[in-house]
Amino acid sequence: MENPAAAAPAADPSPVFLLLSFGTLVAALLGAAHRLGLLYRLMHKVDKASIRHGGESVAAVLRAHGVRFVFTLVGGHISPLLVASEKLGIRVVDTRHEVTAVFAADAVARLTGTVGVAAVTAGPGLTNTVTAVKNAQVAQSPVLLLGGAASTLLQKRGALQAIDQMSLFRPLCKFCASVRRVRDIVPTLRAAIAAAQSGTPEEKKKVLPSCLTPRYLENCLANLFAGAWEPQPEGPLPLHIPLASPQQVQRCVEIVSRAKKPLLVIGSQALLPPTPAARLRAAVETLGVPCFLGGMARGLLGQNHRLHIRQNRGAALKKADVVILAGAVCDFRLSYGRVLSRRSRIIVVNRNRADMLLNSDIFWKPQEAVQGDIGSFMLKLVEGLQGQTWAPDWLEELREADRHKEQTFREKAAMSVGQHLNPVRVLQAVEEALPDNALLVVDGGDFVATAAYLVQPRGPLRWLDPGAFGTLGVGAGFALGAKLSQPDTEVWCLFGDGAFGYSLMEFDTFVRHKIPVMALVGNDAGWTQISREQVPRLGSNVACGLAYTDYHKAVMGLGARGLLLSGKSEDQVAEVLREGQRQCRDGHPVVVNILIGRTDFRDGSISM
């Protein structure tokens, strides 16, 4: 018997089902068309007659943002943007290593308050910058790194220098983008530069422009260049800078007003725009609180200011009843917060919340944590404390401790260290010879750490060190960026002999670009900061030994001027320094190779 249900014809699909299916198909087609750029190209055509290239768009945005220098090591992927930058009056400065280019951009960013720019080629050109990018991230410097890339359609096909660059740099960058269409260059660069200077400028911005794809892929080419040359705004976007609330400032005013022994610790972040260094200095002087200065804040109060306490920071922090950490972070530099007394009331101010509260769950607790710009906060704090004064005995107690410590330095300077020069005595001579307009770049371990106690920057933004990452090799790049940013300034570089090995070849760069800098190499023939700890603990000096190399002769081979200071010229230190200054002022980069012995000045210091 036949089954009626089986014999019945299939029911027609419902109109609703057909409509949904049709809609889904249309949506899929539109999505595909959008991804392929077909919809955009209906309204924006490719100008096939144009001879312009994407490098011109990059250069135009840089010029609109006031960029004066692009640091680079040339490569085919980035040639268009370098040529275009030069045509627009942006100075292109080529170095001998990509890491130096980023260090130079970092220095420009720190000293000018604008974004520093470096451009490097794809693959190894980009990977060579990783250390400098990380150093800039930790130091909170706004740096824009422009990296070349292999053609988009040749990615993962074995193209020259093609690697997954984005995965490598995302952990290091606040803003990381790959530009795949010419029309996206301008808005992406503007967004990157705004991100670099907004909030906490601690992570570097990086844009990777793609190069041309093969001609046979006509659709990709059309999408790449469609609408490329239509007018777009190129100038700066608004910046976001966090500010303390009036309620937070008032609570801090009340805390500080009740202090008997207040102390101020100022870090690099306090020197960030928008507050000029001169206004910050005036605020600190009006506040009248003794202060320690670190990083880029060194020199904020000039030389020998009565409020600037330079020695015995740990002991002072233990005695203070109120401590203001203005951009200072409780990392290894403050013993992770252990140096703070639990009896002290701590005010911490920082743009970055993570830095602000670092280790606060272990070794210390803030009374008031203020996420905001430090310069603006200090101006408001001083306004709220107008007329407030503190008993002079607290300041005098700290200054007396300073004087006692400096007397011990003079005694150590008088000690004999055998056939070579006493580094403490040499650095005291540097302090006496340093001109008022000098800018100090420091790159090294033991010699530079000793200099931090003995040599004073003469004003704000006159000290460049690596920052919290502790990177060796920043010297040449920092000096390059510093001298270009401030051509009338005398740039003095203090190198350890180990660190100088990273920068030696860049004296060719200084000679070619006519960049006169003065480099002092503390040559003790070893990685002394490491051996100070390694030998007592492990009983071996393995891998810590160097030689008393003739660095002054090496740079002469590169076209620079070289001078030697040794134990035989102990009474000529000041004279040789003056001769180096004279040659530097005549337009020559100079290296003074200073053969030094070892002292117990930094015994007990650690290197990890």
Side-chain angles (χ1 to χ4, degrees), residues 350-387:
N350 201 293
R351 293 189 185 191
N352 182 279
R353 180 174 176 80
D355 285 349
M356 179 173 68
L357 300 176
L358 189 63
N359 296 310
S360 63
D361 57 337
I362 305 175
F363 298 118
W364 68 287
K365 291 289 182 186
Q367 179 77 21
E368 192 69 39
V370 181
Q371 186 175 358
D373 174 62
I374 291 145
S376 304
F377 170 83
M378 290 299 300
L379 296 180
K380 294 175 183 176
L381 181 69
V382 169
E383 183 180 343
L385 288 165
Q386 193 168 13

Side-chain angles (χ1 to χ4, degrees), residues 69-83 91-105 117-129 144-149 161 480 502 505-506 508-509 512-513:
F69 311 106
V70 172
F71 300 96
T72 190
L73 199 161
V74 72
H77 295 95
I78 58 172
S79 291
L81 74 88
L82 300 179
V83 172
R91 184 169 176 180
V92 176
V93 183
D94 61 304
T95 63
R96 298 300 297 267
H97 196 293
E98 289 90 351
V99 75
T100 305
V102 179
F103 283 140
V117 180
V120 298
T121 197
L126 197 64
T127 59
N128 277 348
T129 70
L144 174 68
L145 176 58
L146 301 169
Q161 298 181 330
L480 180 61
Y502 292 91
M505 198 62 201
E506 296 298 348
D508 168 78
T509 304
R512 287 185 296 107
H513 289 281

Side-chain angles (χ1 to χ4, degrees), residues 396-414:
E396 182 54 33
E397 177 184 346
L398 298 176
R399 289 179 60 80
E400 177 59 29
D402 257 19
R403 288 190 287 267
H404 178 75
K405 192 68 171 283
E406 286 161 5
Q407 176 58 34
T408 66
F409 294 164
R410 286 189 286 271
E411 292 170 2
K412 289 185 181 297

